[in-house]
Amino acid sequence: MAIPLQRIRLSLKEHKQEKIISTAPCNWSRNSFFPGVVERGSARKCLVTTKVVPKNDLPIRVSDSERMKAKEGDEERVALTKEPKRKLADAWREIQGQNDWAGMLDPLDPLLRAELIRYGDMAQACYDAYEFDPYSKYCGSCKVKPSMFFENLGWKKCSYEVTSYIYSTYNVNFPKFFNVSLNPDGWSHSANWIGYVAVSNEEYSKYLGRRDIMIAWRGTVTNAEKIADLMDFQNPTTYHTIPSRDPTIKVEAGFLDLYAGRNVDCQYCKYSAREQVLAEVKRLKELYPGEELSITITGHSLGSALATLNAYDIAEIGLDVMEDGRVIPVTVFSFSGPRVGNARFKERLEGLGVKILRIFNVHDQVPKVPGIFLNELVPKVLQQLGGWLPWCYFHVGEELPLNHENSPFLKDESNLVFFHNLEVLLHLLDGYHGKGRRFWLAGGRDIALVNKTTDFLKKDFLIPPNWWETNNRMFFKNHLGQWVMPEQHDLEIHTPSEDVQHHLQQLNLACHAQWH
């Protein structure tokens, strides 16, 4: 488990430290759960160690220019804490990308940062709740039940209710390419849990200024998903019966198969992930007919690609339009996402009004694929010449590039897996304030989270690597005194309900009436 920063300070008593104390306001609900953050009303104090000097060494001389930079950094922090606090309920449309985040990314708007971290945590929850252990008969499923989803993951307070789980299947002709249990009585041998749908509760909806329907997609963990990531040729979106007026709109074939593939012999995947999500969004939309709604989709890595596909699908079939004609804002917060489709896919998404903000580490290689040689960065002439090829891809939306080299907490090492890690990215997001500005933790996010599944923190902080995985490998003694793995809740509650078919039929009829 994580070691509290209070203990770290005691263990480093043989060192002299220069400290910067940040007291920037933050409303992030998870801080009180994780050690190392001391709450003081609406402000939080977080230790930021910029230099660690051995006791017997000579002190480091600080130049006048360094002193000036530190002074400017302190003045910036004080200025930010004195800024009048905006209400999210008044600014939510800007946060959701109404103006394509103009003027909000450099310097980074504090309210936008807090929202991005919140949605990033919801994407991270897909990893935290996933059962990786092949010795468990629930390998490949979700470890917690929907009604206690966030509470069981350690969130002290979450204001969203998980209403549906998402399962996917992938039709590859290789055995055991999904994470399946070694137990012959395993829960499923063809399905994997890949995300969830949630909706904000009454109290939090007032704070948000609208009722938020949130969809979170998990990133790559199974071999089949790795194969899907590598299938860089394109298929038309109509290949899996996704309605489209334009057959030249194409996306990466593996992403499309994971999103829209089904297995009628599996109770969890007799409906595709696409069908499960669309039916649930339609149900929730009808549940709150008179309210202001938003649809926010988030995901990391592969989950980012599926989130982008999902957003396109929702807007293309008109699921974002209310009965009275109001259009629900559809926003994607993409974390470390790859390219998804061709130029026509990008143009259509923009034309549909879908807003996408991509957050990534500049040293991460995943956002650079597919389309390594033919992409939005090459000259227009090459884009036009290569547009008909199935290997030409374009990123969609606005971008927020981050750089792990700016964090004083991280080691100087080249590890592509660490560069791609979501908790590392959220750490960078918490410390980023704009190009050329000093790195300091505005929200007081616990640095122990960086080592949740990595070993990227400097050793001085004494946070053990991969502590989350160790902490979650738990046996307990049963009534016979035997050490056994705990039984999960009833998986039947995860099975897509028969209402899915009813909502899908209505959607298909609506699409047919709209286009014909």
Side-chain angles (χ1 to χ4, degrees), residues 57 119 142 201 272 314 325 330 377 395:
D57 286 2
Y119 284 113
C142 179
N201 64 22
S272 66
I314 287 172
V330 179
L377 301 177
H395 269 308

mmCIF file of all heavy atoms in Angstrom, residues 57 119 142 201 272 314 325 330 377 395:
data_model
loop_
_atom_site.group_PDB
_atom_site.id
_atom_site.type_symbol
_atom_site.label_atom_id
_atom_site.label_comp_id
_atom_site.label_asym_id
_atom_site.label_seq_id
_atom_site.Cartn_x
_atom_site.Cartn_y
_atom_site.Cartn_z
ATOM 1 N N ASP A 57 26.940 17.185 2.287
ATOM 2 C CA ASP A 57 27.355 17.850 1.064
ATOM 3 C C ASP A 57 27.269 19.355 1.217
ATOM 4 O O ASP A 57 26.544 19.890 2.046
ATOM 5 C CB ASP A 57 26.477 17.422 -0.119
ATOM 6 C CG ASP A 57 26.823 16.015 -0.562
ATOM 7 O OD1 ASP A 57 27.700 15.408 0.083
ATOM 8 O OD2 ASP A 57 26.208 15.538 -1.525
ATOM 9 N N TYR A 119 -12.601 13.240 -14.872
ATOM 10 C CA TYR A 119 -12.957 12.272 -15.907
ATOM 11 C C TYR A 119 -11.824 11.275 -16.152
ATOM 12 O O TYR A 119 -12.071 10.110 -16.481
ATOM 13 C CB TYR A 119 -13.318 12.995 -17.209
ATOM 14 C CG TYR A 119 -14.691 13.636 -17.172
ATOM 15 C CD1 TYR A 119 -14.847 15.018 -17.196
ATOM 16 C CD2 TYR A 119 -15.842 12.851 -17.097
ATOM 17 C CE1 TYR A 119 -16.110 15.610 -17.161
ATOM 18 C CE2 TYR A 119 -17.104 13.424 -17.049
ATOM 19 C CZ TYR A 119 -17.222 14.808 -17.082
ATOM 20 O OH TYR A 119 -18.477 15.377 -17.033
ATOM 21 N N CYS A 142 -15.549 -7.554 -14.072
ATOM 22 C CA CYS A 142 -15.401 -6.441 -13.133
ATOM 23 C C CYS A 142 -15.461 -6.989 -11.714
ATOM 24 O O CYS A 142 -16.304 -7.824 -11.399
ATOM 25 C CB CYS A 142 -16.507 -5.404 -13.361
ATOM 26 S SG CYS A 142 -16.414 -4.006 -12.227
ATOM 27 N N ASN A 201 -25.933 12.148 -9.994
ATOM 28 C CA ASN A 201 -27.117 12.121 -9.134
ATOM 29 C C ASN A 201 -27.736 13.519 -9.022
ATOM 30 O O ASN A 201 -27.228 14.500 -9.581
ATOM 31 C CB ASN A 201 -26.794 11.530 -7.761
ATOM 32 C CG ASN A 201 -25.793 12.378 -6.981
ATOM 33 O OD1 ASN A 201 -25.610 13.570 -7.229
ATOM 34 N ND2 ASN A 201 -25.141 11.751 -6.007
ATOM 35 N N SER A 272 -23.670 -6.355 -28.978
ATOM 36 C CA SER A 272 -22.332 -5.768 -29.057
ATOM 37 C C SER A 272 -22.172 -4.675 -28.015
ATOM 38 O O SER A 272 -23.151 -4.164 -27.454
ATOM 39 C CB SER A 272 -22.095 -5.199 -30.454
ATOM 40 O OG SER A 272 -22.964 -4.090 -30.684
ATOM 41 N N ILE A 314 -23.104 8.057 -31.704
ATOM 42 C CA ILE A 314 -24.218 8.725 -31.031
ATOM 43 C C ILE A 314 -24.712 9.914 -31.847
ATOM 44 O O ILE A 314 -25.919 10.115 -32.031
ATOM 45 C CB ILE A 314 -23.798 9.164 -29.616
ATOM 46 C CG1 ILE A 314 -23.684 7.943 -28.696
ATOM 47 C CG2 ILE A 314 -24.783 10.179 -29.024
ATOM 48 C CD1 ILE A 314 -23.096 8.249 -27.337
ATOM 49 N N GLY A 325 -36.220 18.756 -29.832
ATOM 50 C CA GLY A 325 -35.290 19.311 -30.804
ATOM 51 C C GLY A 325 -33.981 19.812 -30.227
ATOM 52 O O GLY A 325 -33.062 20.162 -30.978
ATOM 53 N N VAL A 330 -22.069 16.552 -26.946
ATOM 54 C CA VAL A 330 -21.317 15.291 -26.860
ATOM 55 C C VAL A 330 -19.837 15.639 -26.840
ATOM 56 O O VAL A 330 -19.321 16.267 -27.769
ATOM 57 C CB VAL A 330 -21.626 14.365 -28.047
ATOM 58 C CG1 VAL A 330 -20.804 13.075 -27.940
ATOM 59 C CG2 VAL A 330 -23.113 14.045 -28.111
ATOM 60 N N LEU A 377 -0.109 15.578 -40.124
ATOM 61 C CA LEU A 377 1.104 16.385 -40.039
ATOM 62 C C LEU A 377 1.834 16.519 -41.365
ATOM 63 O O LEU A 377 2.682 17.399 -41.512
ATOM 64 C CB LEU A 377 2.051 15.786 -38.988
ATOM 65 C CG LEU A 377 1.494 15.673 -37.556
ATOM 66 C CD1 LEU A 377 2.508 15.004 -36.647
ATOM 67 C CD2 LEU A 377 1.101 17.041 -37.009
ATOM 68 N N HIS A 395 -5.820 12.664 -36.614
ATOM 69 C CA HIS A 395 -6.329 12.967 -35.281
ATOM 70 C C HIS A 395 -7.499 13.927 -35.390
ATOM 71 O O HIS A 395 -7.590 14.711 -36.333
ATOM 72 C CB HIS A 395 -5.234 13.603 -34.413
ATOM 73 C CG HIS A 395 -4.444 12.610 -33.630
ATOM 74 N ND1 HIS A 395 -5.036 11.661 -32.822
ATOM 75 C CD2 HIS A 395 -3.087 12.430 -33.498
ATOM 76 C CE1 HIS A 395 -4.094 10.933 -32.236
ATOM 77 N NE2 HIS A 395 -2.916 11.377 -32.625
#
